[in-house]
């Protein structure tokens, strides 16, 4: 969370505050993540934000590739990203490895589409 949520005796109210702050934080992080031209550092954002950002970028790239008739180049770009993710050893960084695994699953689906 970017802002602390005050603990209170009213559990329903507190949980509502937690949910609202979680939504606000995820929204802010997605906007920040998507604003990075070269793509985000995997360590800077949670997996949910990274995966959603990648979906947004892929959708934008698809729209541009369809309009320009460059779908083959988009496929090559996706395979290049796949190679970069799979050529690194994340075994000593468990959280980063989980993030990459999530991104890889989405990326394999994107390549298949």
């Amino acid at each position: 969370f970017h802002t602390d949520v005050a603990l209170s005796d009213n559990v329903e109210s507190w949980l509502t505050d937690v949910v609202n702050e979680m939504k606000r934080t995820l929204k802010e992080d997605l906007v920040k993540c998507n604003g990075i031209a070269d793509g985000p550092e995997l360590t800077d954002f949670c997996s949910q934000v990274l995966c959603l950002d990648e979906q947004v970028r892929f959708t934008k790239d698809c729209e541009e590739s369809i309009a320009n008739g460059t779908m083959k180049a988009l496929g090559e770009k996706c395979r290049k990203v796949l190679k970069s993710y799979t050529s690194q050893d994340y075994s000593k960084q468990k959280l980063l490895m989980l993030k990459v695994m999530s991104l890889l699953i989405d990326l394999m689906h994107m390549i298949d589409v």
Side-chain angles (χ1 to χ4, degrees):
F1 295 162
H2 294 264
T3 305
D4 293 338
V5 175
L7 191 60
S8 73
D9 291 333
N10 184 341
V11 175
E12 292 83 7
S13 176
W14 175 76
L15 284 174
T16 299
D17 292 344
V18 167
V19 167
N20 290 335
E21 182 57 29
M22 187 182 316
K23 287 178 184 178
R24 191 177 72 72
T25 298
L26 288 171
K27 180 180 177 181
E28 288 176 4
D29 283 354
L30 179 60
V31 169
K32 182 178 176 185
C33 183
N34 198 252
I36 301 171
D38 295 335
E41 287 293 323
L42 300 181
T43 55
D44 291 346
F45 298 96
C46 67
S47 183
Q48 297 91 328
V49 169
L50 291 168
C51 288
L52 184 53
D53 174 67
E54 196 60 39
Q55 289 291 327
V56 169
R57 289 175 192 268
F58 177 73
T59 301
K60 180 180 176 250
D61 289 347
C62 279
E63 290 172 349
E64 290 175 1
S65 292
I66 290 169
N68 299 329
T70 57
M71 289 300 291
K72 186 175 180 178
L74 177 59
E76 291 170 3
K77 177 183 174 184
C78 289
R79 284 186 284 283
K80 183 179 176 184
V81 172
L82 177 65
K83 186 176 181 177
S84 75
Y85 283 155
T86 57
S87 65
Q88 297 181 38
D89 180 16
Y90 300 103
S91 62
K92 292 186 169 109
Q93 299 169 302
K94 298 297 182 188
L95 181 59
L96 188 56
M97 184 173 68
L98 291 171
K99 289 178 181 184
V100 170
M101 287 172 60
S102 293
L103 288 165
L104 282 171
I105 290 168
D106 288 346
L107 184 58
M108 287 185 285
H109 173 72
M110 289 178 214
I111 291 171
D112 192 43
V113 169

